[in-house]
Amino acid sequence: MSQNLDASGAGSDTPNLDFDGTTPYEDYVQADVLTHLQHLRSDDPGEMVFLVTTQVMELWFTVIVHEWETAAKALREDRIPVAMDALKRSLRELEALNASWRPLAQLTPAQFNAYRAALGEGSGFQSAMYRRMEFLLGEKSASMLVPHRGAPRVHAELEKALHEPSLYDEVLRLLSRRGLPVPAEVLNRDLAQRYEPSPEVEAVWTGLYAAPDAQPDLHRLGEVLTDVAELIWRWRNDHLVATRRAMGAKTGTGGSAGVTWLEKRAQKNVFPELWTARSHV
């Protein structure tokens, strides 16, 4: 192992610059791989920021899925502090994800059109990792597996996620184990279906918010979930605004409905009873 020595042979503060192979940083981060994944399909200089920003979003999706899966597992094991730590980390990560829209938020139609053709039929709704995020939020849809039939590993991961409890399912199971009256039809629902709001679950959250000191850890859990839901709402709205600015009401890439589809998504709240319960406290 090499040492940092000055002329007298004593140790110095100079960092080690001599390695037998690649640097330990490269071995860990794989920076050379990451920075050579950009294969541009047009001559427009603006395509690079679009491509890199999209790739950065995929990395944030990956981190957030990891956090929410960690939180779901911890809730299943009644380890609320571990779940809270993961959810709180995901808040900072969601903020960073949402900030990813800034380089794209002021694209004019002409600027976007300069490289839009390079996308072909590519569209963000085809993102498998984003789909896993949506599934963890309870936004389940078997039809969203169809685009991934040609990628067996990705399809298998999505199919597994489709049939597993969402993050919110694990929260509701925890509330039930703590003696709160979550109805059996909610607990035993078909997990491959989109979560639908329940008046009984709304009443449970209303009770927790009306008496926050009765089960303070569950009240705090509700608040961090509300923070997550708010940032998801902001993500959807920022996506809507960026798309509307860049392409107006035109059909989206990949045949999606573009702005119309995004408007519908932006109107929906995840963890819905956490929002509606506030009207009854």
Side-chain angles (χ1 to χ4, degrees):
M1 179 180 293
S2 61
Q3 296 181 347
N4 298 326
L5 301 176
D6 61 21
S8 65
S12 76
D13 293 330
T14 304
N16 182 21
L17 301 176
D18 185 14
F19 302 98
D20 292 333
T22 56
T23 66
Y25 176 86
E26 175 60 35
D27 292 341
Y28 184 73
V29 178
Q30 296 287 293
D32 186 55
V33 174
L34 287 172
T35 55
H36 287 80
L37 290 174
Q38 294 74 45
H39 305 294
L40 302 179
R41 298 184 178 183
S42 79
D43 295 327
D44 187 88
E47 186 189 350
M48 176 62 94
V49 68
F50 183 87
L51 177 55
V52 170
T53 299
T54 304
Q55 291 175 333
V56 167
M57 288 178 176
E58 285 291 332
L59 292 174
W60 281 126
F61 297 159
T62 302
V63 177
I64 293 165
V65 164
H66 169 75
E67 301 287 23
W68 290 350
E69 287 180 342
T70 298
K73 181 175 185 293
L75 291 170
R76 191 158 55 246
E77 298 169 352
D78 294 309
R79 296 185 297 151
I80 297 180
V82 174
M84 289 289 288
D85 285 345
L87 290 170
K88 287 178 180 178
R89 285 194 302 269
S90 81
L91 297 179
R92 307 289 82 80
E93 293 149 9
L94 282 164
E95 288 171 351
L97 170 65
N98 291 359
S100 299
W101 285 117
R102 291 178 187 170
L104 307 178
Q106 294 187 316
L107 281 175
T108 67
Q111 289 169 334
F112 184 47
N113 287 339
Y115 55 80
R116 186 186 183 195
L119 306 181
E121 293 190 66
S123 176
F125 78 82
Q126 298 162 6
S127 168
M129 197 56 71
Y130 181 69
R131 194 56 47 200
R132 285 177 63 179
M133 272 183 59
E134 290 271 290
F135 284 2
L136 278 163
L137 293 171
E139 297 287 332
K140 302 287 188 76
S141 174
S143 65
M144 299 310 293
L145 272 64
V146 174
H148 306 284
R149 288 178 297 186
R153 178 182 60 80
V154 172
H155 188 276
E157 289 174 351
L158 274 177
E159 188 167 33
K160 180 174 181 290
L162 179 70
H163 294 282
E164 287 181 335
S166 70
L167 173 61
Y168 197 48
D169 287 322
E170 295 293 3
V171 170
L172 297 181
R173 292 176 179 191
L174 171 67
L175 299 185
S176 177
R177 291 195 300 274
R178 292 286 288 267
L180 296 169
V182 179
E185 58 267 26
V186 172
L187 298 173
N188 300 323
R189 71 184 190 87
D190 181 356
L191 297 176
Q193 299 296 316
R194 177 180 287 106
Y195 180 82
E196 297 295 340
S198 159
E200 292 83 3
V201 171
E202 179 187 87
V204 168
W205 284 117
T206 300
L208 283 170
Y209 272 85
D213 295 332
Q215 299 204 54
D217 56 341
L218 298 183
H219 181 268
R220 289 193 295 270
L221 177 61
E223 281 298 274
V224 76
L225 290 170
T226 304
D227 290 337
V228 168
E230 179 180 334
L231 287 167
I232 292 296
W233 178 83
R234 293 184 186 280
W235 158 266
R236 291 173 175 174
N237 274 274
D238 287 351
H239 189 182
L240 168 62
V241 172
T243 302
R244 181 182 284 151
R245 183 157 186 159
M247 54 179 280
K250 290 187 291 190
T251 301
T253 54
S256 70
V259 164
T260 301
W261 184 78
L262 294 173
E263 285 174 338
K264 291 179 180 179
R265 301 293 297 154
Q267 293 171 0
K268 301 188 68 174
N269 286 318
V270 296
F271 317 145
E273 297 93 349
L274 276 165
W275 296 97
T276 56
R278 294 166 192 271
S279 300
H280 306 291
V281 177

